């Protein structure tokens, strides 16, 4: 995969026998033990490992929940109650799964902002980045489908509102949107039929994510990891072997993350949910204020900021799709925002815009909230379409170190470091 | 070598025919897998439903279920009808009546109801924006700026004829097919 030579030595006759037939141990050794890792990675680089943990945790808890859950409109709401009250440790596993989705998104957003700040999407990591955008999309679809399963009021009305997004296509070809929506529903309204298929797809998509993650890691190991300087690994002293250095750091960060995770699971299992979801789905009453889960709020704010149905839907999908194009929108000669004195400020403005959109998405769509949602939506897109190309082309990067080693040890000590290379 | 064979490609037709046959066969199998998700005959059955409107007093409204959807039936006051009639067509964001009983007609109040039964407004109670149920059926509900219905999800205001006046909804509330069997008996569907 990568440009470093294999250092794997089979130690036993069995290992040698395997190595000549299916060299999985060699691949694991070369890719996850002796893999060259930039020596200057900070803790923001531990989120890849944390995300892998999140995916596995969701898969394991989800498979268990599916053993007890009943995907029918008559039984879904009750079966969730039974899981939480009767099933042995159901209270724990259900809380891990529900809270786990929030933790997954928390980690993925940090991971994405890290990539944006340090230019991890720049050549030669375009495919790696675009695979990441697909993973984000698949995660969103999975989270949305999963949110329908408790069959509470918020579940029901979230499904109604989000599937109805497709009815906006009626503005393009009359009847097309309605046909798609009825196809998704399997009827003329959201019903048990809809719930049943959403359950099936909710079980399927995580395995699609799993496949995409394998490609994502594969692409990462071909291009090699980016790092805070954005420089490539040039000499042996620029890198350390993944094991034990990066693995130990990843493990430490993972434990810190798991403490936060456990705190939510054990002390605030329903804090990130919505009270209305403890009322069984009722197709005759819409809750007075529908809000999505926190991780969808910025996109929901963008949807509502546009005063046109189709336009709002297009803007919402475009806000994610645009990420796939930034490897070519960013015109800066350097990768890392660390050496971009002007762009750095715009980056933080972008972070503020995302947080503000999240806040505005949780507020009713009226008055001053709509005004600010429009301002920040405008900046969200301007950041990618205007700031990235223009600032990138005009700004003079600040002085950069010659290598990763120099960034860590300073110029004078460069000579002594080549001696300590592994 | 090729020179001694009369027509070296003469058996290609077998490959082409077999491939084309398999491709068409495989492609035609897509449809069952797409169509299985569409509403089946049971869901499609219109199952027209009859309702007795005698107990509904002037100013009151009821919500009934038809095809799994809520249908609003409002017994409008003379004042509400008057307000709805006075609205000029060019004030309406959606100038089409959206009445399945008279498709394509302009959205006048007359075209939103059935002649002789103008006091009854019958509509599918689903916001044409993203499918929430608008408020306005009970006396305590917020009825929006135009005295009809108000969708709390994204702030669409409907007037006393169920026409969109303000907010993100693109269309007037849909009027389903219905007939009056007697003065107080209605069949929807």
């Amino acid at each position: 995969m990568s440009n470093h030579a294999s250092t794997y030595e089979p130690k036993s006759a069995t290992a040698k026998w395997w190595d000549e037939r299916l060299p999985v141990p060699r691949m694991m050794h070369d890719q996850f033990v002796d893999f060259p890792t930039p020596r200057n990675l900070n803790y923001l680089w531990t989120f890849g490992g944390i995300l892998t943990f999140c995916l596995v945790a969701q898969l394991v808890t989800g498979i268990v929940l599916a053993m007890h859950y009943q995907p029918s409109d008559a039984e879904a709401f009750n079966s969730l109650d039974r899981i939480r009250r009767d099933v042995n440790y159901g209270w724990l596993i259900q809380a891990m799964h529900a809270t786990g989705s929030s933790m997954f998104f928390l980690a993925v957003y940090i991971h994405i902002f890290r990539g944006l700040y340090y230019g991890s999407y720049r050549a030669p990591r375009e495919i790696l980045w675009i695979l990441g955008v697909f993973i984000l999309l698949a995660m969103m679809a999975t989270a949305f489908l999963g949110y329908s399963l408790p069959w509470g009021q918020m579940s029901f009305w979230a499904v109604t509102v989000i599937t109805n997004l497709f009815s906006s296509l009626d503005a393009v070809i009359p009847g097309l949107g309605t046909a798609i929506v009825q196809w998704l529903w399997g009827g003329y309204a959201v019903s048990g039929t809809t719930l049943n298929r959403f359950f099936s797809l909710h079980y399927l998509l995580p395995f699609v994510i799993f496949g995409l993650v394998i490609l994502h890691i594969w692409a990462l190991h071909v291009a090699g990891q980016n790092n805070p300087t954005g420089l490539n690994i040039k000499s042996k002293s620029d890198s350390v072997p993944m094991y034990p250095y990066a693995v130990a750091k990843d493990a430490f960060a993972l434990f810190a993350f798991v403490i936060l995770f456990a705190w939510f699971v054990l002390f605030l299992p329903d804090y990130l949910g919505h009270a209305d979801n403890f009322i069984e789905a009722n197709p005759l009453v819409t809750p007075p204020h529908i809000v999505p889960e926190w991780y969808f709020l910025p996109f929901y704010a963008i949807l509502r900021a546009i005063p046109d149905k189709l336009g709002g839907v297009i803007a919402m999908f475009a806000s994610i799709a645009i990420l796939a194009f930034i490897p070519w929108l960013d015109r800066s000669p350097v990768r890392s925002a660390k050496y971009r004195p002007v762009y750095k400020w715009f980056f933080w403005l972008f972070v503020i815009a995302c947080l503000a959109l999240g806040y505005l998405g949780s507020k009713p769509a009226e008055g001053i909230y709509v005004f600010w949602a429009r301002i920040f939506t405008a900046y969200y897109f301007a950041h990618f379409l205007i700031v990235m190309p223009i600032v990138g082309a005009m700004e003079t990067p600040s002085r950069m170190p010659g290598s990763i080693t120099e960034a860590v040890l300073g110029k004078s000590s460069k000579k002594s470091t080549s001696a300590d290379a592994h | 070598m090729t020179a001694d064979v009369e027509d070296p490609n003469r058996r290609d037709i077998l490959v082409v025919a077999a491939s084309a046959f398999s491709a068409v066969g495989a492609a035609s199998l897509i449809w069952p897998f797409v169509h299985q998700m569409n509403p089946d005959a049971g869901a499609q059955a219109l199952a027209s439903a009859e309702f007795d409107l005698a107990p509904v007093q002037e100013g009151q409204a009821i919500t009934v279920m038809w095809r799994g959807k809520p249908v609003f039936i409002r017994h409008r006051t003379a004042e509400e009808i008057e307000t709805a009639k006075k609205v000029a067509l060019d004030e309406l964001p959606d100038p089409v009546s959206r009445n399945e009983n008279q498709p394509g007609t302009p959205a006048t109040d007359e075209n939103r109801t059935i002649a002789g039964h103008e006091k009854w407004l019958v509509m599918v109670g689903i916001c044409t924006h993203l499918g929430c149920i608008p408020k306005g059926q009970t006396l305590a509900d917020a009825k929006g700026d135009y005295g009809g219905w108000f969708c709390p999800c994204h702030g669409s205001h409907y007037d006393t004829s169920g026409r969109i006046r303000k907010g993100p909804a693109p269309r007037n509330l849909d009027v389903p097919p219905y007939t009056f069997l007697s003065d107080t008996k209605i069949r929807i569907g």
Side-chain angles (χ1 to χ4, degrees):
Chain A
M1 284 186 189
S2 186
N3 51 5
H4 71 110
S6 179
T7 55
Y8 178 69
E9 292 290 342
K11 289 197 179 65
S12 64
T14 323
K16 196 163 180 298
W17 188 87
W18 271 100
D19 195 47
E20 284 159 1
R21 285 159 179 83
L22 184 65
V24 171
R26 175 181 296 278
M27 184 191 77
M28 296 309 284
H29 177 86
D30 293 345
Q31 298 304 325
F32 301 102
V33 176
D34 197 40
F35 188 74
T37 309
R39 65 186 292 166
N40 59 340
L41 295 187
N42 60 34
Y43 273 105
L44 290 170
W45 262 267
T46 61
F47 280 87
I50 288 169
L51 284 161
T52 312
F53 167 82
C54 287
L55 178 60
V56 172
Q58 288 302 83
L59 278 165
V60 171
T61 53
I63 288 166
V64 171
L65 289 176
M67 295 178 187
H68 305 280
Y69 173 76
Q70 303 193 3
S72 79
D73 53 352
E75 280 305 311
F77 188 78
N78 294 332
S79 75
L80 202 75
D81 250 7
R82 273 197 299 279
I83 289 170
R84 291 174 63 124
R85 289 155 194 253
D86 299 346
V87 173
N88 298 331
Y89 288 103
W91 61 270
L92 177 68
I93 295 165
Q94 193 274 339
M96 284 168 76
H97 196 72
T99 311
S101 68
S102 281
M103 294 297 133
F104 206 159
F105 274 98
L106 174 68
V108 88
Y109 286 145
I110 296 174
H111 191 67
I112 292 168
F113 278 118
R114 189 269 289 153
L116 283 173
Y117 186 80
Y118 294 111
S120 301
Y121 48 86
R122 302 292 301 274
R125 298 187 182 84
E126 302 96 324
I127 300 280
L128 171 62
W129 173 261
I130 291 168
L131 282 165
V133 176
F134 280 118
I135 293 171
L136 175 65
L137 272 176
M139 276 177 66
M140 290 176 141
T142 310
F144 162 69
L145 293 167
Y147 194 57
S148 71
L149 303 183
W151 212 234
Q153 273 290 67
M154 274 296 161
S155 298
F156 185 91
W157 291 100
V159 172
T160 302
V161 168
I162 301 301
T163 49
N164 261 309
L165 292 178
F166 292 97
S167 70
S168 61
L169 291 173
D170 277 342
V172 185
I173 301 173
L176 174 70
T178 309
I180 291 175
V181 172
Q182 290 179 354
W183 178 72
L184 290 172
W185 288 342
Y188 300 99
V190 175
S191 66
T193 316
T194 321
L195 174 66
N196 216 151
R197 61 187 57 182
F198 276 21
F199 175 64
S200 170
L201 295 172
H202 181 69
Y203 207 116
L204 164 74
L205 278 183
F207 296 97
V208 174
I209 296 179
F210 198 86
L212 287 168
V213 166
I214 288 175
L215 294 179
H216 192 66
I217 296 174
W218 186 355
L220 173 72
H221 281 235
V222 172
Q225 283 166 292
N226 188 27
N227 63 81
T229 63
L231 295 169
N232 295 330
I233 294 177
K234 290 171 192 159
S235 65
K236 216 153 186 210
S237 71
D238 284 349
S239 71
V240 289
M242 182 158 169
Y243 180 85
Y245 298 97
V247 171
K249 193 165 185 160
D250 278 358
F252 180 76
L254 178 61
F255 276 105
F257 185 81
V258 167
I259 290 172
L260 176 76
F261 196 147
W263 184 60
F264 270 101
V265 169
L266 299 173
F267 295 105
L268 300 164
D270 296 314
Y271 181 77
L272 297 165
H274 200 287
D276 272 301
N277 228 19
F278 290 95
I279 305 167
E280 192 167 4
N282 179 357
L284 281 177
V285 181
T286 305
H289 183 203
I290 298 187
V291 271
E293 295 283 83
W294 69 267
Y295 41 80
F296 289 144
L297 288 172
F299 305 102
Y300 194 57
I302 291 173
L303 167 76
R304 299 189 306 178
I306 311 289
D308 173 74
K309 184 170 165 181
L310 181 62
V313 173
I314 289 173
M316 190 181 71
F317 283 108
S319 65
I320 297 163
I322 198 169
L323 291 171
F325 297 95
I326 62 169
W328 297 276
L329 287 168
D330 188 346
R331 311 303 303 171
S332 172
V334 301
R335 289 196 189 110
S336 174
K338 208 174 165 181
Y339 307 107
R340 302 183 57 184
V342 181
Y343 178 76
K344 197 184 267 183
W345 293 101
F346 284 105
F347 173 83
W348 288 109
L349 186 57
F350 177 72
V351 174
I352 290 167
C354 291
L355 294 175
L357 283 170
Y359 168 75
L360 294 164
S362 73
K363 292 288 160 192
E366 56 197 32
I368 192 76
Y369 297 125
V370 176
F371 171 78
W372 283 108
R374 285 180 185 159
I375 298 286
F376 286 115
T377 300
Y379 184 69
Y380 183 97
F381 287 102
H383 181 80
F384 295 122
L385 295 172
I386 299 170
V387 172
M388 271 197 171
I390 293 179
V391 174
M394 294 177 60
E395 164 191 59
T396 313
S398 52
R399 234 188 67 77
M400 293 186 66
S403 69
I404 294 173
T405 309
E406 196 187 306
V408 177
L409 300 175
K411 208 163 191 171
S412 51
S413 53
K414 198 179 177 187
K415 207 168 180 184
S416 63
T417 56
S418 41
D420 74 7
H422 56 278
Chain B
M1 175 98 183
T2 46
D4 357 325
V5 183
E6 215 173 287
D7 180 5
N9 299 328
R10 70 199 160 112
R11 288 202 179 89
D12 282 5
I13 182 69
L14 294 176
V15 177
V16 171
S19 314
F21 200 78
S22 321
V24 171
S28 62
L29 203 59
I30 294 171
W31 180 241
F33 282 91
V34 172
H35 194 48
Q36 51 88 17
M37 279 175 70
N38 272 323
D40 60 22
Q44 269 180 0
L46 273 176
S48 61
E50 290 176 20
F51 303 97
D52 182 17
L53 302 181
V56 186
Q57 299 300 305
E58 189 172 299
Q60 286 185 332
I62 57 167
T63 306
V64 298
M65 287 295 270
W66 171 71
R67 270 182 162 189
K69 304 180 197 182
V71 172
F72 292 169
I73 304 178
R74 182 131 140 195
H75 189 164
R76 298 186 296 171
T77 60
E79 193 194 338
E80 284 172 337
I81 301 171
E82 208 45 51
T83 332
K85 283 191 170 162
K86 266 193 277 182
V87 180
L89 270 182
D90 54 13
E91 289 176 47
L92 299 171
D94 178 20
V96 184
S97 69
R98 307 292 169 194
N99 184 345
E100 288 200 39
N101 305 294
Q102 13 187 335
T105 48
T108 57
D109 190 59
E110 288 80 356
N111 288 340
R112 301 266 305 156
T113 51
I114 282 182
H117 301 280
E118 285 92 352
K119 61 183 184 180
W120 296 104
L121 182 62
V122 181
M123 307 176 303
V124 174
I126 293 180
C127 180
T128 58
H129 181 225
L130 294 174
C132 295
I133 311 293
K135 296 270 167 208
Q137 285 293 89
T138 67
L139 293 172
D141 278 356
K143 290 186 168 62
D145 295 354
Y146 297 88
W149 288 264
F150 171 69
C151 183
C153 289
H154 307 99
S156 292
H157 299 255
Y158 296 92
D159 67 10
T160 54
S161 194
R163 296 172 296 201
I164 180 68
R165 300 299 291 275
K166 193 173 129 187
R171 282 180 295 120
N172 303 326
L173 290 174
D174 290 314
V175 176
Y178 68 94
T179 44
F180 274 90
L181 303 172
S182 72
D183 262 0
T184 56
K185 204 153 172 85
I186 183 175
R187 180 164 65 201
I188 304 176

